[in-house]
Amino acid sequence: MIIDLQRFITEERPCWDELDAILSRLGKDPAARLSLEQVERLHYLYQRVSAGLAKLTTFASEPELRRYLESLVARAYGEIHETRRRARRFALHRWFLADLPQSFRRHLRAFLLAVAVTFGGALFGGGAVAWDPGAKAVLLPFSHLQGDPAERVQQEEEEGAARHLDGRKASFASYLMTHNTRVSFFSLALGMSWGVGTLVLLFYNGVILGAVGVDYLAAGQARFLFGWLLPHGAVEIPAFLIAGQAGLVLAGALVGWGRRFTLRQRLRAVAGDVVNLAAGAALLLVWAGFVESFLSQYHEPVVPYAAKIGVGVVELFLLAAFLWKSGAGATPAVAQGKEDRP
Amino acid sequence: MNPATSPTPPPPIQNHQSPIQNSPAPRSPLRPAVVELRTPEGILFTLEPAGPMARLLALLIDYAAVSVILQTLNIVLLMAKIIHADFARGLAIWLQFAAPIAYSLACEWFWRGQTFGKRLFRLRVLDARGLRLQFTQVVIRNLLRPLDLLPLFYLTGGLTAWLSPKGQRLGDFAAGTMVIREPVLFQPDLDQVSPGRFNSLRAHPHLAARLRQQVSPELAATALQALLRREGLDPAARVRLFAELAAVFRAKVALPEADLAGLPDEQLVRNVVDVLYRPRPDRDAPA
């Protein structure tokens, strides 16, 4: 039997056009919602076009028309069989105060692993410099950290307010923000190497941190060190750790030890949290960039070390409290069906 | 629509070389196989993963688009420099970093998986299960782009896409997306098969009925496609093709030579297809 194509097209075209119009409307507005009647109509049209496609495939071979119907069915299929809720209109405050800290807490073990690896790196770097001060030249790739800490402290304190950053603080802050965000995102992306790349990067960050810390502590410059690092480091270092946490979450989904879900399901399950953590890390790095450029680079007598250390401690406390408590009472996005959980 | 009420399992995905019987063009080894998705209703539809060359060209167009955007913004920044040079420099650094990311995210989200380059080359990012593309998927595939770029010129991404049956780079793999080539969609114009010409076969309803009985859907479709694509054929091949098709139809049904004397092969095929695809009971019936 050969289908009467002309009649088939004439009879079915209104349904195709209607389905196409509904799908186009849904496509244009990702947050659009359909009423029950509209959903029923969409489902009817989907089934009718599907039946038409089946008929066409069985009784006639008209590739162009078939492709057209396949395309319609494919688009409708995506709407009908989507098991995740349509994206809500994005609300920054809800994301910041609830979604981000909840994502952080959901993957606390990954964060603790990131902390442990960084700490391990710091022990290694610090130990290497304490045992062999010559290791500084190898471990620290920054020229301003190669010299004697005491000399640097004296020089920077003598410069006072006439710092070399005058007239380029904003560009320096932008440089720090973008550079650090790039490194953080790269650390996250390296999660796709089953986490090996992320762990290496976290360890390396720890090595630099440990080497600098021990170098300055050994030189008796503890106040300068904390006054210099804490204001921005209290936010910047956790941001790196959170980016590393996101990378390890991705790696955990890839490895999937002891989980009965498929790789695709595992990756989909963590996607929302990975994005939240990445965005959170970037946001923290923007703040850290500002602080590093506008505050951290100024030392006594311009800004007392105690004040700088105080700022750092307060930031660290607030950040910890935020990550620990914020959004604790809110319904998690996962429970609302916003994200796909296996 | 709600996960709680419609826990539909994902459809099985199969890879086939080509499910389209009438387009058996050989595939390049660089081009991934067609992906077939079967819906729970049993309907099969195909997605054609985009080839690496089309993706590369789309990427170059996107780079050019981002460059144009940055150049335009730089002009604005030149004016900002007059007010505050340091602020303008800082903004320029931010734009260099954020513009490519924002461009990809915004385009792929608001244009449902397309950017300027992808639009130009009819490519689209889709959920690999055929479901609706989620914003998190768009973000993840773009977050992982630096990894796909390594060590140079998308070597990692290119290799991964080449090895992947769905042509997925690492970012696509993590996000559960794939880039497909969209077919050109148009409905066939059956009028060009027989644009109002007199069809001598309609004078013989029994022949029309026999043709419909004897001719298989595949043969009918071949003849239809030959007619639809005839303008693209080489003249000699066109003559040969329609001669062969006419011979096949003649062999299936004894056509009255008196009525068909002097009728070119192509017109005969046209008449047969017209009878097969546009049955008109009122006109085919004996007077």
Side-chain angles (χ1 to χ4, degrees), chain A residues 267-281:
Chain A
L267 284 170
R268 290 176 84 94
V270 300
D273 287 337
V274 168
V275 170
N276 284 345
L277 293 172

Side-chain angles (χ1 to χ4, degrees), chain B residues 158-169:
Chain B
L159 270 176
T160 321
W162 183 55
L163 292 171
S164 159
K166 291 184 210 161
Q168 292 170 298
R169 60 175 177 85

Side-chain angles (χ1 to χ4, degrees), chain A residues 4 6 13 27 30 46 61-63 70 77 79 81 83 86 167-171 174 177 189 192 268, chain B residues 1 3 8 11 41 43 46 86 89-90 94 109 112 127 129 132 134 144 147 173 187-188 190 221 225 277:
Chain A
D4 180 349
Q6 191 74 36
R13 195 193 299 253
Y46 166 67
S61 286
E62 214 306 288
E70 276 186 349
Y77 168 79
E79 297 295 337
H81 289 282
T83 55
R86 290 186 78 83
R168 57 189 193 95
K169 282 196 281 286
S171 47
S174 288
M177 291 171 201
M192 284 302 281
R268 290 176 84 94
Chain B
M1 319 295 142
T8 312
E41 294 85 359
I43 301 300
T46 56
D86 184 33
R89 272 198 304 273
W94 251 109
W109 177 236
R112 294 155 56 213
D127 180 287
R129 293 192 299 180
R132 194 192 312 120
Q134 301 284 311
L144 266 64
L147 203 60
F173 184 76
Q187 298 166 9
L190 289 185
Q225 287 307 310
Y277 280 99

Side-chain angles (χ1 to χ4, degrees), chain B residues 149-172:
Chain B
L149 276 163
L150 290 178
L152 280 173
F153 307 123
Y154 272 94
L155 200 64
T156 304
L159 270 176
T160 321
W162 183 55
L163 292 171
S164 159
K166 291 184 210 161
Q168 292 170 298
R169 60 175 177 85
L170 279 176
D172 285 319

Side-chain angles (χ1 to χ4, degrees), chain B residues 27-40:
Chain B
R27 289 191 172 277
S28 151
L30 279 176
R31 205 157 151 198
V34 168
V35 174
E36 285 188 349
L37 289 153
R38 189 180 289 279
T39 70

Side-chain angles (χ1 to χ4, degrees), chain B residues 225-237:
Chain B
Q225 287 307 310
L227 286 170
L228 293 173
R229 301 180 190 183
R230 65 189 186 281
E231 297 303 337
L233 296 174
D234 173 68

Side-chain angles (χ1 to χ4, degrees), chain A residues 101-131:
Chain A
Q102 283 170 357
S103 292
F104 172 82
R105 289 194 292 273
R106 245 190 314 274
H107 302 283
L108 193 61
R109 280 196 302 180
F111 180 76
L112 294 177
L113 178 60
V115 172
V117 172
T118 306
F119 187 68
L123 282 180
F124 178 83
V129 170
W131 183 57

